[in-house]
Amino acid sequence: MTVMRGALIGGVFGAAALLAPSIASAQVQAPQAVKTVVLVHGAWADGSSWNKVIPLLEATGLRVVSVQHPLTSIADDVAATNRLIDAQEGPVLLVGHSYGGVVITEAGVHPKVAGLVYVAAFAPDAGETVGAVSAPYGNTPAIAEICPLKDGFLVLSPKGVAEDFAQDLPAAEQRLLAATQGPVQGAVLGTPLKAAAWRVKPSWAVIAANDRTIAPQQEIDGARRMGARTLTLSSSHVAMLAKPKEVAAFIAEAAAGK
């Protein structure tokens, strides 16, 4: 891993919001009870990363849909998310894992979105980029296992998946994650967000205490800045796969406005 590569990708999972006030805007709307949950996956993943959570949410009576966004740009990923939000009836709860937090932060301004849930995720502010706000937390262990592909896309090595992304999952599940991961376009690092929905809508955040991909302190600081209600789990970065019951219960509470 060269120094240049480390500088390029060090922000992919190193950002926390430090540049805006420590508490979210007082204009946050009151939570609404919703019947539909829209799940947004992160980098090096796809919609199946929510497979353990989906049946648990459906068992509570919630309708659940999982976005398959292309990981090609923030604009493309937000558009894919909005397309699925548009197709739902009534208000929805938007849930994002990891880089999916960036996507829901911008897509969450959609008028159908009643609230936001961040699962071991970034929560940048409008005008911020992931890369620019990453430096205060340094590189997590997963950063050294990011490998560049053609055209600026990035993937995580099998070693990185097993040791730093999903270290608390069985080996068979780790291999599946490595095989099915979606490469992410590295240009998302330098793309400023156009909006931050958490400033005007209620938010919740799952903190993954054993995260080796995003620093847990980032997640804590991001949740504090949003004024989010939080749940801390002894989990790897993929909390929805390592602790699906706990994550599903927290999402269900958010859907009920609790």
Side-chain angles (χ1 to χ4, degrees):
M1 182 65 60
T2 65
V3 172
M4 181 175 69
R5 186 189 305 174
L8 171 65
I9 64 182
V12 176
F13 288 104
L18 293 178
L19 305 181
S22 59
I23 299 298
S25 167
Q27 300 303 311
V28 171
Q29 302 169 359
Q32 302 178 54
V34 299
K35 298 296 185 183
T36 302
V37 176
V38 177
L39 302 170
V40 182
H41 65 83
W44 311 318
D46 64 10
S48 68
S49 62
W50 297 104
N51 279 359
K52 292 182 181 180
V53 167
I54 291 171
L56 297 174
L57 291 174
E58 290 177 337
T60 71
L62 290 164
R63 169 174 164 74
V64 186
V65 292
S66 184
V67 179
Q68 297 282 3
H69 60 87
L71 298 171
T72 47
S73 71
I74 292 176
D76 290 346
D77 299 339
V78 168
T81 301
N82 281 334
R83 194 174 301 121
L84 205 55
I85 296 171
D86 286 337
Q88 310 310 311
E89 294 184 6
V92 306
L93 182 71
L94 202 52
V95 183
H97 171 246
S98 192
Y99 163 71
V102 176
V103 178
I104 71 169
T105 295
E106 189 166 305
V109 299
H110 193 293
K112 285 187 178 181
V113 175
L116 311 163
V117 180
Y118 293 80
V119 180
F122 295 122
D125 203 354
E128 292 180 350
T129 69
V130 173
V133 296
S134 64
Y137 298 96
N139 289 346
T140 56
I143 298 303
E145 295 301 324
I146 299 175
C147 306
L149 302 179
K150 290 177 61 177
D151 302 324
F153 283 87
L154 307 170
V155 295
L156 194 60
S157 73
K159 179 176 180 287
V161 171
E163 296 182 1
D164 305 314
F165 191 72
Q167 69 269 20
D168 49 0
L169 294 187
E173 292 186 40
Q174 293 171 348
R175 290 193 294 270
L176 280 174
L177 285 175
T180 60
Q181 65 176 297
V184 63
Q185 172 53 245
V188 301
L189 298 178
T191 304
L193 262 71
K194 296 178 180 178
W198 54 260
R199 287 202 166 272
V200 293
K201 297 186 180 182
S203 60
W204 292 257
V206 175
I207 311 300
N210 301 327
D211 203 329
R212 292 171 58 85
T213 303
I214 297 178
Q217 190 61 48
Q218 290 179 218
E219 299 169 21
I220 293 168
D221 290 346
R224 182 179 296 120
R225 180 168 75 159
M226 291 189 292
R229 305 176 194 185
T230 62
L231 171 68
T232 300
L233 297 174
S234 297
S235 168
S236 67
H237 185 58
V238 288
M240 67 286 190
L241 291 170
K243 302 283 186 178
K245 292 181 180 179
E246 293 88 342
V247 171
F250 189 64
I251 294 171
E253 288 180 2
K258 297 180 180 179

